[in-house]
Amino acid sequence: MPIERYGVLAGQVVDCRVETTDTPHYQIRLRAPDGDYRAAVNVRSSLSPPDLLFLVDDDFRHPVTAGLAELPDGFTPLLSRPGGLALDFIRAGLFDRQGMRVVPTTLPGPDNDLGEFLDHYVRRLVGTDARAYVFGQRWGPEDRTPDKIFGFRPGNGVHDVHMNQGNSGRFGADNGVWQDGALVLRLPEGDRWVAFFLAFQSQSWHTDDATGHPITPPGPAPTGPELRVRIVAALVNPVGPAPERETVTLLNASPEPVRLDGWALVDRLAHRQPLTGTIAAGAALPVVVAAPVQLGNKGGTITLLDGEGLKADGVAYTKEQASQEGWSILF
C-alpha cells in the first residue's frame, strides 16, 4: 500500500546537522506555530548500491511553488493525485532525470558529499524568515518521547523525503504515485526557490500509473533511443479569445523517422491525447492540443508517453512563463 500520512511540512529552519550513524540522514529542525518538527533526509541507502541519486535545482520554477507560498506553517496533508501540490518524480515534470548524479554519502574534505551539498543551502536559512518545505511521510506527535536528534518534545517530524515509487522487495509496500518526497527552500533573497530531489539507485523510473510498482528494471538515466523524441516548446497562451489553438512542439533528435501511433500527450490533470503520424529524422512537429488535454495559463505540466506507455519526456511551466500572450515557451 502507499505510504501513510503523506504531505508537506512548512516551517522556519532553526537547526540542521549531518547524522553519521549506521543509517545516515541530514537532519533539519523546523519551527511552526504548533511546535517543532524534524525532517530526516536520507543520505544513504540500506540497499546496494548505497549512494543516492541527487539533483539540486537552484532556480526551481514549477507551478507547485505558487501553492507552497500560500501554505501556513506546519504539516499539511496532501491527496496523492495530480492537479494539487503532491509530487511525482515521473509524472509532474519537476526536473530532467538526466541531471541526477550519484553522490557519495561522505568523503574527506569540504563540499564533496551529499550531506555537505544539502548543508550548503539549508544552513543559510537558520535564523532567517525564509521557509523550508519538506514533502514526505509524517510521524508523531510522540507525546512521551523527546526527539532523538534535537531533544524537543513531543517528537514529531517528516521522513521518506525521496522518491517513493519504483521499489522492489521489502520496500515495495511503500510504492505509490503522487507521493514522492523532496526538499524545497524559499530563499530570502529575490524570492528564489531551490529544490532537492533524491532517489535510490535500486528504484525503477518506469512505474505503474495506479500502483507505483516498477514496470521496468532500475537503470541509469535514459540516453540514446529512449530520448529520441523530446518536448521542445509549447504555445500555452495563443493570441485571441478562448478556445485557443494551443500547440506542443516535438523534436525527433534521432537519425531515423519515429512513428507516433500509440504515443500520447498528458496534461497536469492526467488527461491523455493520443498521437498519430510520423516525425522525420531531425524534424520538429507542432501538435495541436485537443480535448481532453488542456494547457492552463496558471502553470502546468506536459508529459510525452511512448507507444508502450512509458514516459519519453516531460516538462513544466509556470504562470509567469504562460503570461505572455502569443509567445511559445521553450524547454
Side-chain angles (χ1 to χ4, degrees):
M1 60 181 295
I3 63 173
E4 298 179 352
R5 304 179 75 189
Y6 175 68
V8 57
L9 168 65
Q12 181 183 20
V13 177
V14 295
D15 199 359
C16 53
R17 67 184 66 171
V18 180
E19 179 190 25
T20 56
T21 62
D22 292 339
T23 57
H25 289 76
Y26 184 77
Q27 306 284 6
I28 310 171
R29 182 175 181 176
L30 298 102
R31 185 152 294 158
D34 61 342
D36 283 8
Y37 293 79
R38 174 167 56 90
V41 183
N42 287 76
V43 294
R44 187 173 178 84
S45 173
S46 60
L47 300 178
S48 183
D51 292 332
L52 270 62
L53 290 164
F54 172 74
L55 182 145
V56 55
D57 185 343
D58 61 5
D59 188 18
F60 182 55
R61 301 186 184 190
H62 190 278
V64 73
T65 60
L68 292 179
E70 297 177 356
L71 285 180
D73 284 357
F75 184 81
T76 299
L78 298 176
L79 296 176
S80 294
R81 65 186 185 190
L85 292 181
L87 302 185
D88 191 299
F89 285 11
I90 297 172
R91 298 162 183 85
L94 294 162
F95 58 91
D96 185 348
R97 179 189 159 197
Q98 291 185 95
M100 299 200 89
R101 296 292 181 266
V102 177
V103 179
T105 302
T106 182
L107 284 176
D111 300 325
N112 59 4
D113 57 50
L114 185 49
E116 291 167 339
F117 292 158
L118 291 163
D119 199 61
H120 174 79
Y121 285 100
V122 176
R123 190 163 297 279
R124 293 165 59 183
L125 272 63
V126 175
T128 73
D129 290 332
R131 288 295 180 270
Y133 302 87
V134 188
F135 291 82
Q137 179 176 208
R138 182 177 180 178
W139 83 82
E142 301 169 335
D143 294 332
R144 299 183 179 181
T145 305
D147 183 77
K148 70 174 186 177
I149 302 298
F150 299 109
F152 60 83
R153 290 176 180 265
N156 199 18
V158 173
H159 62 162
D160 289 333
V161 188
H162 49 67
M163 183 169 166
N164 291 308
Q165 59 183 306
N167 296 295
S168 300
R170 61 191 175 100
F171 293 107
D174 294 335
N175 286 333
V177 296
W178 297 101
Q179 58 160 29
D180 287 330
L183 172 63
V184 181
L185 308 179
R186 190 180 188 183
L187 300 186
E189 64 272 13
D191 196 26
R192 178 179 162 205
W193 296 82
V194 177
F196 302 87
F197 304 104
L198 296 159
F200 301 114
Q201 295 186 66
S202 57
Q203 292 174 312
S204 170
W205 285 85
H206 290 304
T207 64
D208 184 88
D209 286 338
T211 66
H213 293 322
I215 54 178
T216 64
T223 58
E226 188 175 352
L227 290 175
R228 61 191 184 275
V229 181
R230 304 298 302 268
I231 302 170
V232 294
L235 180 56
V236 174
N237 187 7
V239 174
E244 304 155 310
R245 190 177 185 272
E246 301 169 337
T247 60
V248 174
T249 301
L250 307 179
L251 173 69
N252 177 9
S254 78
E256 302 292 337
V258 175
R259 290 187 59 83
L260 296 178
D261 296 340
W263 291 51
L265 289 179
V266 183
D267 66 13
R268 187 180 182 185
L269 296 178
H271 298 137
R272 295 194 183 200
Q273 174 184 336
L275 302 179
T276 58
T278 299
I279 307 181
L285 175 68
V287 176
V288 177
V289 175
V293 168
Q294 292 183 324
L295 305 182
N297 292 348
K298 295 183 178 180
T301 62
I302 311 168
T303 302
L304 177 66
L305 302 180
D306 68 15
E308 297 180 356
L310 304 180
K311 180 180 177 180
D313 197 18
V315 296
Y317 62 91
T318 65
K319 178 180 179 180
E320 290 73 23
Q321 289 174 303
S323 64
Q324 297 186 13
E325 189 176 59
W327 285 83
S328 290
I329 301 169
L330 303 180
F331 303 110

